[in-house]
Amino acid sequence: MATITEQVGENDAGTAESDRNAAGPTRGEIFDLLSNHRRRYAIHHLKQTDEPVELGALAEQVAAWELEKEVQGLTSTERKRVYTSLQQTHLLALERAGMVEFDARAIELTEEAEQLEVYLDIVPGDSIPWGVYYLGLSAVAAAVMVGLWLEVVPVETVSTLGWATAVVGLFAVSAVVHVLENRQNRLGEGERPQ
């Protein structure tokens, strides 16, 4: 009896696994895949090309980005280390997740990965995340509006409409800068991945 129960449990688990694979990777699985810089670099390079890439060429480009060198400046040891890592670990993980297809030596993104729009919210050490920035900007805008209502903000030099225009202008300029920065940080966009 225990054997039958174990087999049913395995079959149910197998069905759940195939259902999950048919739906594609979950958000958590995608974040897990992208948590490794070599996989991000590989996807970035593959998104930049319209045809399959040889494993050697992919490994060279990933190594160059990783070591911040030109491809011509790489040693054979540096190339081989990245080549082996991609072949034995990272491409297999991406293939299991349905992001790439590769055989022998040619790698290409699947349709699902080509449609994947990923951007990384890169926050340098001396700056603040965009969410915190917008929260602060909203607090300033609210303070200006409350000040206008309570008539403590001077309207002799700048009219009420002028203050409102300034607040809207700050949000508009911030949004444009944010959009441009996000475009630069998308995988497959820009010269070098983040």
Side-chain angles (χ1 to χ4, degrees), residues 5 9 16 25 93 104 118 144 151 154-155 161 164 185:
T5 306
V118 176
V144 168
E151 298 177 356
V155 290
L161 183 59
N185 291 337

Side-chain angles (χ1 to χ4, degrees), residues 126-192:
D126 59 347
S127 78
I128 59 172
W130 280 105
V132 174
Y133 172 81
Y134 283 119
L135 185 62
L137 189 56
S138 297
V140 168
V144 168
M145 293 300 133
V146 167
L148 287 170
W149 277 51
L150 297 175
E151 298 177 356
V152 292
V153 173
V155 290
E156 295 83 31
T157 56
V158 180
S159 70
T160 304
L161 183 59
W163 282 105
T165 302
V167 167
V168 170
L170 282 172
F171 274 99
V173 168
S174 298
V176 167
V177 171
H178 191 177
V179 167
L180 293 175
E181 186 177 292
N182 281 348
R183 283 190 183 158
Q184 290 175 342
N185 291 337
R186 278 196 181 132
L187 284 176
E189 300 290 328
E191 189 175 316
R192 188 182 190 293

Side-chain angles (χ1 to χ4, degrees), residues 106-117:
I107 303 108
E108 64 184 318
L109 291 176
T110 62
E111 189 173 311
E112 183 175 332
E114 288 173 359
Q115 301 303 317
L116 184 64
E117 286 296 321

Side-chain angles (χ1 to χ4, degrees), residues 36-42 58-71 74 77-83 85-86 90 192-194:
N36 182 279
H37 71 274
R38 283 193 179 155
R39 289 192 287 261
R40 283 194 314 274
Y41 290 0
L58 179 63
E60 282 182 337
Q61 186 58 65
V62 169
W65 283 331
E66 184 176 299
L67 299 170
E68 297 182 1
K69 290 183 171 184
E70 294 295 322
V71 171
L74 293 171
T77 303
E78 292 167 339
R79 284 184 178 94
K80 184 167 177 72
R81 186 179 69 237
V82 173
Y83 182 100
S85 174
L86 287 172
H90 302 298
R192 188 182 190 293
Q194 299 294 325

